[in-house]
């Protein structure tokens, strides 16, 4: 046989595999390092793979620019865009040659001069080599296998020299010593006693202590949540987001294997890694549970006393580049925050035996941290935030943003530049003792929500009543003449209206968190329900492993080998977090899953540096303070959201479409009043003479007036002149629904839900989600405020609306805001509405289009809602009788 001397016609496997990894990384399927390891069987040159993909992401902006200028992706549309990007990376920043003869390589080479010409136009941005770590290597001694003393002795025997730091209060001195660690030296951490510190780039992969599970590679920051949670031996612990299991094993060690650690992990693949780590660390007290923890309840983890909430996050703290933390993908952060709020709130509300809860992220973004804490804490009656500084005996420097006042300062940050760790955030909550108070409770919200909660309960009772009634009716042979006598466009009764907004089926869905939102509003014929397009927004979150990339990779490798699957990370988005907010129609439950594209613009995250063979040294540590984003944070005040007209700004949207700001403000104002909510009750429309439906504004005002009366409910309704309140009820009910998460706050939701009669499926507006909406309205994530000058406190309503709208306009908030999908087609209508009210109210009002006639005063009322006298004005305006113009969409704004 003659050897063919023909040039290689096939693309080098290195490039193919690198392209796959780059793509998977862009999809958030893992850190570059994890993905490289996972593809090891596909290409053994992991360093070359890593270098290519890492460089691609370091240079992504330039490459993107080149692609745009040359239109290469368009002209080479048949080629894999990721292969093109990898080849450009190789050509411009890698080997600087493409030696293959494939068509695509030839094409890319053909562009070389053009690329270079474009590049010379731009300023060269120096790229930091992320493979050179300046962070020390942290090694946690697995107390289940060896004591720290034994480990120290063993390392000393190996020739390592222990550097001591005895002053427990001198954190700065400690950091200096850590930064100065030289080859052959190690220290014991001053906070986490089981943690040993070695110089950067010390290798442990081949060390027997690592291989046999005696030591675990875990960054110090990642040890802090469990250290601060401090469950004693014998206790019951719930680890809500457990894989890969670094903190799970730390928890087991804290318990000395006495007691139980429920380690919950949703992702099946990661459960495999979790089990492996748990097994190899001999953490016998751990029970691994492959479940979505949001589908769990207290019965699943009986007696859970200590809870660790370490949810998926942006992972912005996992990079050594502090600039990374400044690159915010606001929409993504908001989605993550939504999920984080849900999960933290569930920890604080579902488990009645919980004494202490640790919330942590490996993110440096306040949106995922202080903001999450704030949103959850401000409505929580049972927990307080513990001052982390005190827990660490003041020997720590980095805390949360003072923009959040004391609340922020009670939270702890670990910062790469200051603490020589990964970036991390920890907040510790403790159950209130008797007589104690959560000083961050926002009473205004709480009272409001308490009322709503009460109203909610009443609604349930009414529903039960209705069920009975219906049964009786059907027994009577379904004689329903009454219905026929009701004008077409009128809902039959309050119950019916309310039924359209029932939060349901929490039992089935585990809780409020997998959210289903039924859009059903009365239409002509009273019983027709509008079907909405269903959406399921999968929010893919970058899985971050909190400082345990290395171990995870290695374990992944081991698991791989064992399972002979060859894959740990895969294209399967199982590694992603799915925040699902669903809308379902009554009848059809079809879903349209929309995957959020994680853009390639994402900077590399979680890319713990690959081990290399550099000698120990170069412990240059930046003392520069990490510039932490401290966007303006207006103090939250429900007062403002509930109609702080004094501070409301001009609402921008068109008159006719935004008439109802004042209405909602009024409604909400009113709902602040116990009695007003009570007055919602027992309003039987059936018993009322039917009235004109067109005078919405005046109806509202009257209704509001009614609500403002302190008359006891039942009597009120009976004695009042009959009005068409039911329409407003539905709106109020929506408002109530919006705030129903109170249940989650006040009750141990799951458990209470369990005891409730089952309701209609899929008629669910998840309380939590709505609550998030609510809260979002109350205070936008600081992202939305980002570009704004700091404002006075309590300037909430219109500002928020505007800022949220701005944000929405730029990028729809998919996970929160299903309704925005629909709304996007109605942009003009919702400019001034904050999301929650839009979500809930627009729909209703849209469906009332045909029913409602409005007078021009509606527009006026909206205008007036922007000024401080809005309510007064609207009250005046109710006196005007004539509604002249037929009005379509009614939007109620906060
Ligand atoms: C940041 S990692 C946790 C790291 C882990 N605590 C450790 O120290 O090794 C977040 C994990 O939570 C899991 N997760 C996300 N949402 C979840 C949910 N709803 N229920 C259970 N696990 C979830 C993710 O799959 C991911 O493995």
């Amino acid at each position: 046989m003659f050897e063919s001397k023909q040039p290689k016609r096939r693309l080098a496997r290195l490039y193919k595999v690198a392209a796959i990894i780059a793509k998977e990384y862009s999809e958030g399927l893992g850190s570059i390092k994890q993905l490289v390891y996972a593809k090891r069987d596909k290409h053994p040159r992991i360093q070359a793979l890593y270098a290519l993909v890492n460089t691609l992401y370091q240079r992504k902006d330039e490459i993107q620019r080149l692609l745009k200028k040359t239109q290469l992706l368009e002209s080479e549309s048949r080629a894999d865009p990721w292969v093109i990007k990898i080849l450009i990376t190789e050509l411009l920043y890698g080997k600087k040659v493409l030696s293959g003869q494939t068509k695509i390589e030839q094409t890319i080479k053909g562009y070389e001069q053009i690329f270079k010409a474009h590049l010379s136009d731009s300023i060269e941005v120096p790229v930091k080599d992320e493979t050179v770590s300046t962070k020390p290597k942290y090694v946690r001694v697995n107390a289940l296998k060896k004591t720290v003393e034994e480990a120290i002795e063993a390392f000393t025997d190996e020739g390592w020299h222990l550097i001591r730091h005895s002053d427990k209060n001198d954190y700065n001195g400690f950091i200096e010593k850590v930064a100065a660690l030289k080859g052959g030296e190690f220290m014991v951490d001053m906070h986490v006693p089981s943690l040993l510190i070695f110089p950067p780039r010390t290798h442990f992969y081949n060390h027997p202590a690592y291989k046999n599970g005696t030591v675990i590679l875990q960054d110090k920051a990642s040890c802090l949540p469990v250290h601060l949670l401090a469950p004693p031996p014998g206790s019951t612990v719930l680890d809500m987001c457990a894989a890969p299991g670094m903190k799970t094993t730390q928890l087991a060690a804290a318990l000395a294997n006495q007691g139980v650690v429920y380690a919950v992990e949703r992702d099946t693949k990661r459960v495999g890694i979790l089990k492996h780590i748990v097994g190899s660390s001999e953490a016998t007290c751990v029970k691994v549970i492959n479940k979505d923890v949001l589908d769990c309840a207290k019965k699943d983890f009986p007696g859970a006393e200590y809870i660790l909430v370490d949810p998926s996050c942006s992972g912005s703290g996992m990079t050594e580049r502090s600039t990374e933390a400044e690159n915010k993908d606001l929409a993504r952060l908001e989605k993550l925050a939504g999920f984080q709020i849900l999960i933290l709130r569930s920890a604080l509300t579902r488990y009645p035996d919980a004494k202490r809860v640790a919330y942590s992220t490996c993110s440096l973004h306040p949106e995922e941290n202080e903001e999450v804490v704030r949103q959850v804490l401000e409505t929580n009656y049972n927990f307080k935030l513990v001052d982390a500084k005190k827990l660490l005996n003041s020997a720590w420097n980095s805390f949360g943003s003072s923009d959040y006042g004391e609340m922020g300062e009670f939270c702890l940050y670990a910062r790469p530049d200051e603490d020589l760790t990964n970036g991390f955030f920890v907040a510790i909550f403790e159950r209130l003792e008797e007589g104690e108070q959560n000083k961050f409770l926002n009473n205004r919200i709480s009272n409001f929500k308490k009322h709503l909660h009460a109203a909610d309960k009443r609604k349930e009772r009414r529903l039960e009543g209705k069920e009975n009634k219906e049964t009786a009716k059907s027994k009577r042979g379904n004689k329903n003449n009454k219905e026929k006598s009701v004008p077409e466009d009128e809902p039959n009764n309050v119950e019916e209206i309310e039924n359209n907004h029932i939060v349901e089926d929490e039992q089935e869905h585990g809780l409020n968190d997998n959210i289903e939102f039924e859009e059903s509003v009365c239409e002509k014929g009273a019983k027709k329900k509008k079907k909405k397009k269903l959406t399921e927004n999968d929010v893919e979150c970058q899985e971050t492993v909190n400082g345990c990339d290395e171990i995870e990779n290695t374990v992944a490798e081991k698991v791989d080998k064992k399972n002979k699957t060859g894959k740990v990370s895969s294209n399967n988005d199982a590694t992603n977090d799915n925040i699902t907010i669903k809308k379902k129609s009554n009848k059809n439950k079809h879903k349209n899953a929309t995957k959020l594209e994680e853009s390639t613009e994402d900077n590399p995250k979680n890319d713990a540096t690959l081990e290399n063979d550099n000698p120990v040294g170069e412990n240059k540590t930046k003392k520069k303070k990490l510039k932490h984003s401290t966007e303006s944070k207006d103090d939250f005040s429900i007062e403002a959201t509930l109609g702080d007209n004094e501070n409301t700004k001009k609402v921008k949207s068109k008159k006719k479409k935004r008439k109802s700001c004042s209405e909602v403000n009024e409604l909400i104002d009113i709902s602040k009043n116990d009695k007003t909510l009570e007055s919602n009750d027992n309003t039987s429309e059936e018993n009322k003479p039917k009235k004109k439906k067109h005078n919405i504004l005046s109806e509202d005002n009257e209704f509001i007036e009614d609500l403002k009366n302190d008359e006891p409910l039942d009597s009120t309704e009976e004695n009042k002149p009959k009005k068409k309140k039911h329409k407003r009820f539905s709106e109020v009910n929506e408002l109530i629904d919006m705030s129903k998460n109170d249940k989650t706050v006040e009750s141990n939701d799951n458990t209470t839900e369990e005891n409730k009669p089952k309701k209609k499926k899929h008629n669910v507006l998840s309380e939590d989600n709505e609550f998030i909406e609510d809260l979002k309205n109350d205070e936008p994530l600081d992202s939305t405020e980002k570009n704004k000058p700091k404002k006075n406190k309590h300037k909430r309503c219109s500002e928020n609306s505007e800022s949220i709208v701005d944000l929405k306009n730029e990028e729809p908030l998919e996970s929160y805001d299903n309704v925005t999908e629909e709304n996007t087609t109605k942009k003009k209508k919702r400019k001034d509405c904050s999301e929650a009210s839009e979500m809930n109210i627009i729909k209703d009002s849209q469906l009332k289009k045909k029913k409602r006639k409005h007078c021009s005063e509606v527009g006026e009322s909206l205008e007036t809602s922007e000024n401080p006298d809005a309510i007064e004005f609207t009250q005046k305006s109710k006196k005007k009788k004539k509604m002249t113009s037929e009005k379509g969409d009614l939007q109620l704004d906060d």
Side-chain angles (χ1 to χ4, degrees), residues 241 243-247 265-266 270 292-293 310 543-544 577:
C241 299
M246 313 309 296
K247 297 183 195 73
E265 171 57 45
R266 185 180 60 185
R270 291 169 73 90
D292 184 332
V293 75
D310 187 34
E543 286 306 320
T544 56
D577 298 328

Side-chain angles (χ1 to χ4, degrees), residues 11-30:
L11 187 66
R13 177 165 283 271
L14 174 71
Y15 299 141
K16 285 183 189 167
V17 178
I20 294 168
I21 293 169
K23 179 171 180 283
E24 288 183 358
Y25 179 72
S26 79
E27 291 165 352
L29 296 179

Side-chain angles (χ1 to χ4, degrees), residues 3 197 297 588 604 662 736 763 891:
E3 282 271 324
I197 311 169
N588 302 321
S662 59
I736 292 168
N763 200 1
Q891 292 200 13

Side-chain angles (χ1 to χ4, degrees), residues 544-786:
T544 56
V545 291
N546 297 356
C548 42
D549 278 359
E550 292 133 356
I551 197 159
E552 186 179 1
N553 289 327
T554 314
V555 170
E557 219 178 299
K558 288 177 191 170
V559 172
D560 278 353
K561 278 179 194 164
K562 209 167 164 183
N563 298 336
K564 294 181 183 168
T565 61
K567 281 182 185 176
V568 170
S569 302
S570 78
N571 288 330
N572 191 322
D573 60 2
T575 51
N576 300 322
D577 298 328
N578 301 316
I579 301 171
T580 311
I581 301 177
K582 299 169 188 171
K583 286 191 240 171
K584 290 192 177 183
S585 71
N586 273 346
K587 295 169 189 173
N588 302 321
K589 297 169 187 176
H590 61 280
K591 299 169 188 175
N592 293 331
T594 312
K595 262 196 174 177
L596 174 77
E597 278 184 21
E598 293 290 280
S599 80
T600 56
E601 283 162 24
D602 278 354
N603 286 312
K605 298 171 186 88
N606 297 345
D607 298 336
T609 57
L610 275 180
E611 292 298 318
N612 61 33
D613 293 318
N614 291 344
V616 172
E618 297 174 28
N619 296 330
K620 289 174 194 166
T621 55
K622 292 177 200 164
K623 289 288 172 187
K624 250 194 321 189
K625 285 213 169 189
L626 179 72
K627 200 177 166 193
H628 182 47
S629 66
T630 52
E631 288 90 345
S632 148
K633 276 274 180 285
D634 292 342
D635 267 9
F636 179 75
S637 163
I638 193 88
E639 188 169 32
T641 15
L642 301 183
D644 186 0
N645 293 311
E646 209 177 338
N647 294 310
T648 51
K649 279 184 172 180
K650 279 193 177 178
V651 184
K652 295 169 191 167
S653 62
K654 291 176 185 175
K655 275 186 187 177
K656 289 183 180 177
K657 297 194 174 179
R658 59 189 176 83
K659 43 195 160 178
S660 302
C661 260
S662 59
E663 293 171 2
V664 171
N665 284 335
E666 287 168 16
L667 286 168
I668 298 172
D669 271 341
I670 287 149
S671 63
K672 283 194 282 185
N673 179 330
D674 249 329
K675 288 171 184 169
T676 59
L677 280 167
E678 281 167 14
S679 69
N680 279 344
D681 266 349
N682 307 323
T683 314
S684 168
E685 293 299 314
E686 280 170 12
N687 300 328
K688 293 178 187 176
K690 308 300 171 194
K691 286 191 176 187
K692 273 188 212 167
K693 289 160 241 165
H694 312 306
N695 220 351
I696 298 293
L697 180 59
S698 61
E699 285 172 10
D700 289 346
N701 288 331
E702 283 166 16
F703 176 55
I704 286 157
E705 283 305 306
D706 290 342
L707 291 177
K708 279 177 177 167
N709 287 331
D710 284 345
E711 291 169 43
L713 176 65
D714 297 342
S715 58
T716 319
E717 291 308 317
E718 273 164 25
N719 300 331
K720 270 182 208 168
K722 308 299 179 194
K723 290 166 193 168
K724 285 194 183 285
K725 290 174 191 167
H726 48 273
K727 285 184 186 172
R728 306 311 312 161
F729 278 127
S730 67
E731 283 158 10
V732 171
N733 284 330
E734 284 171 354
L735 287 169
I736 292 168
D737 276 348
M738 277 200 301
S739 309
K740 271 184 130 189
N741 19 18
D742 205 17
K743 272 196 245 170
T744 61
V745 175
E746 289 179 16
S747 66
N748 293 308
D749 36 34
N750 235 10
T751 49
T752 24
E753 295 310 325
E754 276 162 20
N755 300 328
K756 287 179 188 172
K758 256 204 171 186
K759 295 169 192 169
K760 258 195 288 176
K761 264 192 187 181
H762 307 308
N763 200 1
V764 179
L765 168 53
S766 158
E767 297 168 356
D768 278 348
N769 258 8
E770 284 212 321
F771 182 50
I772 290 168
E773 289 296 337
D774 228 4
L775 292 178
K776 280 202 302 174
N777 290 336
D778 293 342
E779 181 162 331
L781 291 178
D782 60 355
S783 57
T784 58
E785 298 289 331
K786 191 180 169 190

Side-chain angles (χ1 to χ4, degrees), residues 133 196 209 313 321 385 454 456 481 521 545 557 721 754 783 789 885:
S133 176
L196 304 180
C313 66
R321 296 193 314 173
L385 184 64
D456 191 41
N481 296 330
V521 185
V545 291
E557 219 178 299
E754 276 162 20
S783 57
S885 63

Side-chain angles (χ1 to χ4, degrees), residues 21-79:
I21 293 169
K23 179 171 180 283
E24 288 183 358
Y25 179 72
S26 79
E27 291 165 352
L29 296 179
S31 71
I32 297 176
K33 196 173 167 192
Q34 288 168 332
L35 295 168
V36 165
Y37 269 96
K39 292 277 179 300
R40 210 174 181 178
D41 60 324
K42 296 236 174 349
H43 199 282
R45 290 179 54 208
I46 53 170
Q47 293 218 9
L49 276 176
Y50 180 84
L52 261 176
V53 180
N54 196 41
T55 309
L56 164 56
Y57 277 95
Q58 285 174 339
R59 300 289 188 175
K60 67 178 171 32
D61 293 340
E62 285 160 48
I63 294 172
Q64 207 60 46
R65 209 168 48 244
L66 294 177
L67 288 171
K68 206 173 162 192
K69 291 208 165 166
T70 56
Q71 298 282 295
L72 191 51
L73 293 184
E74 288 76 15
S75 59
E76 294 300 317
S77 58
R78 291 180 64 196

